[in-house]
Amino acid sequence: MTDKKYELTNLSSGKKSILEARSGTLGPDVLNIANVTRDHGVFTFDPGFMATAACESKITYIDGDEGVLLYRGYPVEQLAEKSNFLEVAYLLINGQLPSAAQLAEFVHAIQYHTMINESLLRFFNGFQYNAHPMAMLSGVVASMAAFYHDSTDIHNPRHREIFAHRIIAKIPTIAAAAYKHSTGQPFMYPRNDHDYCANLLNMFFSVPCENYQVDPVAAQALDLLFILHADHEQNASTSTVRLAGSTGTNPYAAISAGISALWGPAHGGANEAVLAMLEQIGTAENIPKFVAKAKDKNDNFKLMGFGHRVYKNRDPRATIIRAMCHKVLAKLGKSDNPLFELALRLEEVALKDEYFIERKLYPNVDFYSGIIYSAIKIPQSMFTVMFAIARTVGWVAHWQEMISDPGMKIGRPRQLYAGPERRDYAEMSNRG
Ligand code: CMC
């Protein structure tokens, strides 16, 4: 890794300083701006972090221009084809693909931590039946610190490992409890003889009064979606987990902060919004009207599932999911899915439109994921919860990487202050 140097000159005073650029394994160099404040007394200004690398990381690499996504160096396409979600979780957290023995031990640790404390289950009775499941998820995950405080010493590597196993194992159980609460059905306990996704589907859709067989096509489709959603470097929710975690707070609180950040429609909430949008569009004849709305600066309607901060080319995850839609819908006997047909048509129209071409707006991961979730009967309000379950693995990997770095610092951005200058308190009688 060769270091390059840049010179920064204050054109008024002539004062110069040398900035070192660090090269990563892949991707653009980053400029170390530590000297800028020390030598020139100025901060840098980058709202939305458009040009700021907030940390060094070895986990995930994205080349947004080429549409490349690598987890620990492995192309996501290869992992989607050959791996499974828990192996990918091991890879993201530990940095290497596991041996057979390591994988078996990891899977066992996850499968045997799936139950949640019964008192935690009672929390759900306090929620409105129609509460959004993301509200329940973030609240209950934050509360986990009150139940599992025997392993929240963030400086103890074994505690961090136990936390990782617990959160990855229990988050589907919490999600299923949120779903069952919203339907009024009894909570179904986890089944340790099922794999990760089959267990999740069983907790969602089985009821005590009849037998339920998990559809292996649905479990496989879910596993693939989870691989594709598992990590995406310093996105808004991961950065939130890092920022919250950098204060030394317990990891459940940090993950809960990530869940809250994911909820927004510009981030994980987009998968729920895409289906709502497709339903609103209704038929292909209405597409031009909605594309025109998306282009209209006076209308805040956006084409949900389109555009990405980093990808200025096809999102490789969208390409995989689009192909998978064909296969999954055919296997489930729903190949004539009207919403999928509408999505394909909308993509075709948008990709030929000058507005979308100029701005390099392509379908992102969320454009097609909701169609698969619907096909396997996951209700729309639970889509973002599914994203959160998968992304928990990425959050854990990033939190672990940050906490185990001896040079970790609390995240504390600065600002360009634009408020009033210093002024004296005005007595009520003198306020105009
Ligand atoms: N529909 C219409 N116009 C759009 C869209 C869209 N979906 N996305 C971006 N634009 C326009 C935007 O108005 C702007 O136009 P102009 O240059 O004339 O002002 C230009 O494209 C650049 O967009 P931006 O808002 O500056 O881009 P950003 O990097 O700040 O935002 C984004 C990225 C994902 C928030 C945005 O594209 C968006 O809101 N998309 C819809 C929501 C969505 O699908 N989110 C899921 C993201 S992928 C999953 C995840 O990572 O969570």
Side-chain angles (χ1 to χ4, degrees), residues 100-163:
Q102 286 168 327
L103 182 61
E105 196 186 326
F106 181 70
V107 169
H108 186 271
I110 302 297
Q111 269 169 341
Y112 285 84
H113 275 102
T114 49
M115 283 208 294
I116 56 173
N117 190 298
E118 287 290 304
S119 304
L120 203 54
L121 256 189
R122 281 186 224 116
F123 275 37
F124 287 90
N125 293 336
F127 292 117
Q128 287 271 72
Y129 75 95
N130 58 354
H132 195 285
M134 286 294 277
M136 296 192 251
L137 193 71
S138 62
V140 175
V141 167
S143 309
M144 284 173 79
F147 291 87
Y148 304 107
H149 40 72
D150 57 333
S151 56
T152 49
D153 175 1
I154 60 170
H155 302 296
N156 180 331
R158 178 63 188 138
H159 279 207
R160 297 203 295 262
E161 187 181 36
I162 295 171
F163 150 73

Side-chain angles (χ1 to χ4, degrees), residues 94-399:
N94 297 290
Q96 302 295 339
L97 285 170
S99 66
Q102 286 168 327
L103 182 61
E105 196 186 326
F106 181 70
V107 169
H108 186 271
I110 302 297
Q111 269 169 341
Y112 285 84
H113 275 102
T114 49
M115 283 208 294
I116 56 173
N117 190 298
E118 287 290 304
S119 304
L120 203 54
L121 256 189
R122 281 186 224 116
F123 275 37
F124 287 90
N125 293 336
F127 292 117
Q128 287 271 72
Y129 75 95
N130 58 354
H132 195 285
M134 286 294 277
M136 296 192 251
L137 193 71
S138 62
V140 175
V141 167
S143 309
M144 284 173 79
F147 291 87
Y148 304 107
H149 40 72
D150 57 333
S151 56
T152 49
D153 175 1
I154 60 170
H155 302 296
N156 180 331
R158 178 63 188 138
H159 279 207
R160 297 203 295 262
E161 187 181 36
I162 295 171
F163 150 73
H165 295 160
R166 279 190 170 141
I167 188 74
I168 296 169
K170 294 182 199 304
I171 198 160
T173 314
I174 296 170
Y179 175 60
K180 287 298 198 188
H181 179 69
S182 68
T183 58
Q185 288 181 0
F187 170 71
M188 298 301 290
Y189 283 90
R191 291 268 309 265
N192 293 352
D193 58 340
H194 281 356
D195 67 26
Y196 195 79
C197 290
N199 173 49
L200 187 153
L201 291 172
N202 190 64
M203 286 189 293
F204 265 63
F205 300 121
S206 64
V207 283
C209 46
E210 55 187 58
N211 283 330
Y212 172 78
Q213 287 299 321
V214 175
D215 181 340
V217 176
Q220 254 178 19
L222 199 56
D223 195 85
L224 185 56
L225 286 175
F226 281 5
I227 292 175
L228 299 176
H229 278 104
D231 193 42
H232 214 226
E233 53 119 300
Q234 311 309 323
N235 56 86
S237 57
T238 302
S239 299
T240 302
V241 170
R242 278 187 178 261
L243 191 60
S246 78
T247 67
T249 188
N250 76 77
Y252 298 104
I255 298 291
S256 169
I259 294 170
S260 302
L262 185 77
W263 192 358
H267 192 8
N271 58 12
E272 187 182 339
V274 169
L275 261 249
M277 175 189 76
L278 291 173
E279 279 163 5
Q280 196 190 357
I281 296 176
T283 59
E285 296 82 73
N286 294 330
I287 289 177
K289 191 173 88 196
F290 282 88
V291 169
K293 267 167 80 61
K295 296 184 327 189
D296 182 354
K297 288 285 153 225
N298 299 316
D299 190 326
N300 57 15
F301 174 82
K302 278 193 170 174
L303 226 47
M304 298 313 286
F306 254 78
H308 200 275
R309 168 60 61 81
V310 183
Y311 294 116
K312 300 303 169 196
N313 195 330
R314 283 186 182 275
D315 177 340
R317 303 166 300 173
T319 310
I320 299 171
I321 298 179
R322 187 182 194 269
M324 183 180 148
C325 273
H326 287 286
K327 280 193 208 149
V328 172
L329 294 175
K331 278 194 196 160
L332 293 172
K334 298 176 183 169
S335 11
D336 54 347
N337 182 305
L339 285 186
F340 182 42
E341 294 306 319
L342 189 63
L344 287 171
R345 187 78 197 103
L346 178 58
E347 175 186 350
E348 196 184 320
V349 172
L351 291 184
K352 283 189 193 140
D353 190 295
E354 208 40 51
Y355 174 96
F356 291 87
I357 296 171
E358 228 174 62
R359 290 168 180 75
K360 300 187 176 163
L361 301 169
Y362 291 88
N364 60 46
V365 67
D366 288 328
F367 192 65
Y368 290 108
S369 63
I371 293 175
I372 299 192
Y373 285 135
S374 296
I376 62 175
K377 301 198 173 64
I378 303 284
Q380 225 161 294
S381 64
M382 294 300 296
F383 289 0
T384 314
V385 171
M386 295 293 124
F387 194 158
I389 294 173
R391 187 54 59 84
T392 293
V393 160
W395 293 331
V396 168
H398 283 270
W399 177 83

